[in-house]
Amino acid sequence: MKDYYYFLGISQDASDEDIKKAYRKLSLKYHPDKNENDDFFADRFREIQEAYEMLSDPSKRKAYDQNLESHQRSFRYNIPPAIKTFTANKIHAKKGEEIIISWQTSNADVVKVLPFGLEKPYGERIFKITEFKDGKFQLLLHATNSLLHKTVVQGITITEVFENDTDRFKNTVDEMFKPQPRTAVNKTGQPKIVMLFWGIIILAIALYFLIKEFI
């Protein structure tokens, strides 16, 4: 059973105002318009909307609370969550190659496989990696016992394999010219090559003044 209070990061005795505040804060953070082409943020935004629609309606919330309480009584919440298995059929792969992952958890009522989102406590997923970051693709399994507020995490890193040196060089060049995520240092998301260029310019200016000082 989905724990909507957990999705919004609030307690079960939260007021209507608390629910609204949590929804506004999270919906701004995870809104798709601010995180283009990111499936994780899109899934998280859908979870937040679903939770708000349920908990903001008094009659829906009452029925949900009754079901949640019944579920919690029947669930072994006194035992921390655990990840029994989390495996991939390969940890070295080419771009576009099919990957199969499988997992099994216990004592967890909220299970996520990132970057995909919510999943069942056990299962299998087949997917293709369309983009590596610095030659790697990271998978994370989160198993949460929301009543105990405990989460265990396990990761799998898949490294990129190239057909030949030409592909490796092309990938490196593409990475250098690709726009980067916005950060405090790189506020406009400039490609790595641009940041490298400015770094060289700044270093050259610094060396010029340093040499000038000693002449």
Side-chain angles (χ1 to χ4, degrees):
M1 183 177 183
K2 295 180 180 180
D3 189 337
Y4 292 130
Y5 293 102
Y6 175 79
F7 289 168
L8 293 179
I10 56 178
S11 62
Q12 288 182 229
D13 61 352
S15 66
D16 292 342
E17 187 61 29
D18 291 335
I19 293 171
K20 289 179 182 177
K21 285 181 180 178
Y23 171 72
R24 283 196 293 264
K25 180 180 177 181
L26 293 173
S27 61
L28 284 172
K29 180 179 179 180
Y30 292 99
H31 199 285
D33 289 347
K34 292 188 175 182
N35 307 279
E36 293 182 7
N37 301 319
D38 194 312
D39 292 337
F40 167 70
F41 283 95
D43 291 339
R44 187 75 179 94
F45 184 70
R46 282 194 290 271
E47 292 171 5
I48 294 164
Q49 282 191 310
E50 185 180 334
Y52 180 70
E53 287 173 6
M54 177 64 73
L55 300 181
S56 62
D57 185 303
S59 58
K60 287 183 180 179
R61 182 181 180 184
K62 183 177 180 181
Y64 170 77
D65 285 345
Q66 292 173 347
N67 290 332
L68 182 63
E69 185 179 352
S70 175
H71 175 72
Q72 289 174 345
R73 283 198 302 267
S74 64
F75 196 82
R76 293 183 297 169
Y77 271 96
N78 58 325
I79 304 175
I83 296 174
K84 294 183 177 180
T85 60
F86 185 39
T87 60
N89 66 327
K90 57 187 73 175
I91 57 172
H92 303 286
K94 293 178 287 188
K95 190 177 293 186
E97 191 171 356
E98 192 173 84
I99 306 291
I100 303 172
I101 58 170
S102 59
W103 65 92
Q104 184 175 1
T105 66
S106 61
N107 310 311
D109 58 324
V110 179
V111 175
K112 292 182 180 181
V113 177
L114 303 180
F116 307 118
L118 284 174
E119 297 284 359
K120 293 180 180 179
Y122 59 90
E124 180 180 282
R125 176 183 276 267
I126 302 173
F127 64 99
K128 294 180 180 180
I129 301 175
T130 58
E131 195 67 42
F132 286 86
K133 185 175 182 180
D134 297 327
K136 295 180 180 179
F137 186 86
Q138 185 74 42
L139 294 157
L140 292 174
L141 173 62
H142 290 238
T144 299
N145 182 317
S146 58
L147 193 67
L148 292 179
H149 301 293
K150 289 186 177 180
T151 298
V152 289
V153 181
Q154 187 172 326
I156 296 175
T157 300
I158 299 174
T159 55
E160 187 173 9
V161 175
F162 299 92
E163 291 281 1
N164 49 51
D165 290 338
T166 302
D167 288 339
R168 184 184 295 274
F169 176 74
K170 182 179 181 298
N171 186 77
T172 302
V173 172
D174 289 344
E175 184 65 29
M176 289 296 290
F177 284 90
K178 185 174 68 176
Q180 299 297 305
R182 295 182 181 183
T183 64
V185 177
N186 187 1
K187 294 181 179 180
T188 58
Q190 294 287 344
K192 290 181 180 179
I193 189 70
V194 175
M195 298 299 291
L196 179 62
F197 172 77
W198 283 114
I200 293 172
I201 293 296
I202 293 170
L203 180 61
I205 293 172
L207 285 172
Y208 169 76
F209 282 108
L210 185 65
I211 293 171
K212 189 177 180 181
E213 210 174 292
F214 284 96
I215 293 177

